[in-house]
Each structure stands twice: as structure tokens, then as C-alpha cells.
């Protein structure tokens, strides 16, 4: 991460950009979640419903970013914000696991969902663009919260890929078991992210930039994606 001293004007620009990115993420994920849950209910798809619930967790992450950046002392809200996000991830994982296990044990089949497949493809296009924009902004601003939020958005990208594989396998070959298996993968990733949020491990080393001439100490992969 490049070390730079931001002028007040540049910092204000980056802060406004962070807020707009948070608004964009919240808006897209709200729509994504509503479509996923509706399509999942129609198709009896545990994976789609779990994906939709995760979208609402992403909305809460964006809302936390907005809430924190509107505070005069954003750092004071950081720990509580991460704990709240962690609890929501644990609740998501518990519900998705229960529903997926129930589907596997009862032999309930999920129907093919063209809408779900289209939604997963759209998310695989939109989410990486948001991640890149957030990471560039977060690195320059030196914001732990923006970097953590970019990690949440990257999670949505991974889950979109998992969801797409499960839905395609079910639609093409009729492998209905692929749907709850995909849901369990989603639950596992949610637990991992919840634990990291609870421990405050979302790019803690990406704190505000130090004085010129000092290293950032940023070694986490979420801070260094290979692009300046």
C-alpha cells in the first residue's frame, strides 16, 4: 500500500466516495436479496434463500459503514459495528444449515431456477467492480471500515459463484442434492466471516496511514490485491 499524506480536500472526496459506494452496495444487495428469496421460495431452493439472506447481511454491512462515517469519531463505533455484523452472520449460518440439512434428510428436491441463475451471473459481474472500487478507496483513505466492507462484498462474489454452480448442476443434470450442498458451503463461509468480524480481523493492519517514511504494515490479502 502506498503511503501518502492526504489533504483535507482529498480526504473529504474519498469519504464521500466511500458513502456512495456503500449506498450502491446497499441498494443492489437489497434488490438482490428480494429476488433471491422470492425465486428460492418458488423453486424450494435452500441455496437461493440462503443467498438472499446473505444479501441482507451485506446490506447491514453497508449500513454500518454509512452509520460509522456519519459519526464525528468513526473509530469509536468500529468494534460494536463489527460485532453486530458477526452476530448476523452466525444467525444466517444457523438458519441456512438447518434448512440445508432438512432438505438433504427429507429428500426434498429443488426445482430449476432460471431467475436464480441469471441473478448469480449478474452478481458475478457487479460485485467485483464494487470490490475493486472499495479497495482502491479504502487503501488511499487508510480506512479499516471500508476495507472490511470490501471483504464482505468479496464474500458475496464467492457465494455468487457457489450458488451458480449449484443451480446449474441442478438445472442441467437434475442433481437436486447440489442445492443444499451449495447452501452448506454458504453457511460455512458465513461462519468464517462471522468469526473474523467478532475478533476484529477484517484488515486491522489497514489502519489510517502513518506519517511519511513509515511502513503501513499491511500484510493482509484484502489490503493488497496486486494493484495500486
Amino acid at each position: 500500500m502506498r503511503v501518502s499524506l492526504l489533504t483535507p480536500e482529498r480526504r473529504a472526496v474519498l469519504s464521500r466516495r466511500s458513502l456512495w459506494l456503500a449506498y450502491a452496495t446497499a441498494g443492489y444487495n437489497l434488490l438482490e436479496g428480494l429476488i433471491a428469496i422470492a425465486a428460492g421460495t418458488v423453486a424450494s431452493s435452500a441455496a437461493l434463500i440462503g443467498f438472499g439472506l446473505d444479501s441482507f447481511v451485506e446490506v447491514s454491512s453497508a449500513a454500518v459503514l454509512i452509520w460509522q462515517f456519519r459519526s464525528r469519531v468513526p473509530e469509536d463505533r468500529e468494534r460494536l459495528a463489527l460485532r453486530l455484523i458477526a452476530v448476523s452472520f452466525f444467525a444466517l449460518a444457523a438458519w441456512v444449515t438447518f434448512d440445508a440439512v432438512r432438505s438433504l434428510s427429507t429428500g426434498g428436491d429443488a426445482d430449476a431456477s432460471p431467475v436464480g441463475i441469471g441473478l448469480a451471473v449478474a452478481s458475478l459481474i457487479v460485485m467485483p467492480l464494487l470490490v475493486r472500487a472499495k479497495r482502491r478507496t479504502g487503501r488511499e483513505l487508510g480506512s479499516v471500515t471500508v476495507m472490511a466492507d470490501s471483504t464482505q462484498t468479496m464474500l458475496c462474489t464467492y457465494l455468487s459463484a457457489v450458488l451458480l454452480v449449484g443451480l446449474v448442476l441442478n438445472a442441467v443434470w437434475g442433481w437436486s442434492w447440489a442445492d443444499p450442498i451449495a447452501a452448506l458451503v454458504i453457511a460455512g463461509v458465513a461462519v468464517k466471516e462471522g468469526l473474523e468480524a467478532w475478533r476484529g480481523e477484517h484488515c486491522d493492519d489497514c489502519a489510517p496511514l502513518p506519517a511519511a517514511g513509515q511502513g503501513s504494515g499491511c500484510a493482509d490479502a484484502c489490503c493488497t490485491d496486486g494493484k495500486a
Side-chain angles (χ1 to χ4, degrees):
M1 181 163 68
R2 292 178 303 196
V3 176
S4 62
L5 295 177
L6 297 177
T7 64
E9 292 77 12
R10 182 58 179 168
R11 184 171 294 277
V13 168
L14 293 172
S15 295
R16 285 195 299 270
R17 184 185 301 170
S18 297
L19 283 174
W20 280 113
L21 286 171
Y23 286 132
T25 301
Y28 179 83
N29 277 289
L30 181 60
L31 179 62
E32 176 187 74
L34 292 173
I35 294 174
I37 289 179
T41 301
V42 171
S44 300
S45 170
L48 258 176
I49 294 175
F51 183 77
L53 292 175
D54 176 75
S55 296
F56 293 135
V57 174
E58 299 294 331
V59 172
S60 71
S61 177
V64 165
L65 181 66
I66 295 169
W67 171 66
Q68 184 175 3
F69 267 77
R70 287 188 174 277
S71 171
R72 291 186 176 181
V73 187
E75 294 79 8
D76 290 346
R77 294 182 172 182
E78 184 175 276
R79 178 60 60 183
L80 175 60
L82 289 175
R83 290 281 173 98
L84 290 174
I85 292 174
V87 171
S88 64
F89 269 115
F90 294 147
L92 165 67
W95 191 94
V96 171
T97 299
F98 169 79
D99 197 53
V101 171
R102 180 185 59 80
S103 296
L104 286 171
S105 60
T106 60
D109 293 339
D111 298 327
S113 178
V115 173
I117 292 175
L119 180 65
V121 170
S123 293
L124 282 173
I125 296 172
V126 174
M127 291 295 107
L129 296 177
L130 287 172
V131 170
R132 178 179 174 82
K134 289 179 181 180
R135 288 188 175 176
R136 290 178 66 91
T137 302
R139 283 199 304 269
E140 185 176 355
L141 186 59
S143 170
V144 177
T145 310
V146 175
M147 296 303 297
D149 188 54
S150 76
T151 302
Q152 304 295 342
T153 306
M154 179 57 74
L155 170 65
C156 187
T157 305
Y158 296 151
L159 296 187
S160 299
V162 171
L163 175 68
L164 181 61
V165 170
L167 293 178
V168 168
L169 289 176
N170 186 33
V172 176
W173 288 289
W175 293 356
S176 59
W177 52 265
D179 183 90
I181 292 298
L184 289 175
V185 173
I186 292 174
V189 176
V191 170
K192 175 182 178 294
E193 291 300 317
L195 288 173
E196 290 182 356
W198 186 267
R199 296 168 182 164
E201 294 176 357
H202 284 285
C203 294
D204 281 343
D205 51 356
C206 291
L209 295 177
Q214 297 179 358
S216 67
C218 183
D220 197 292
C222 65
C223 302
T224 53
D225 59 2
K227 291 180 174 60

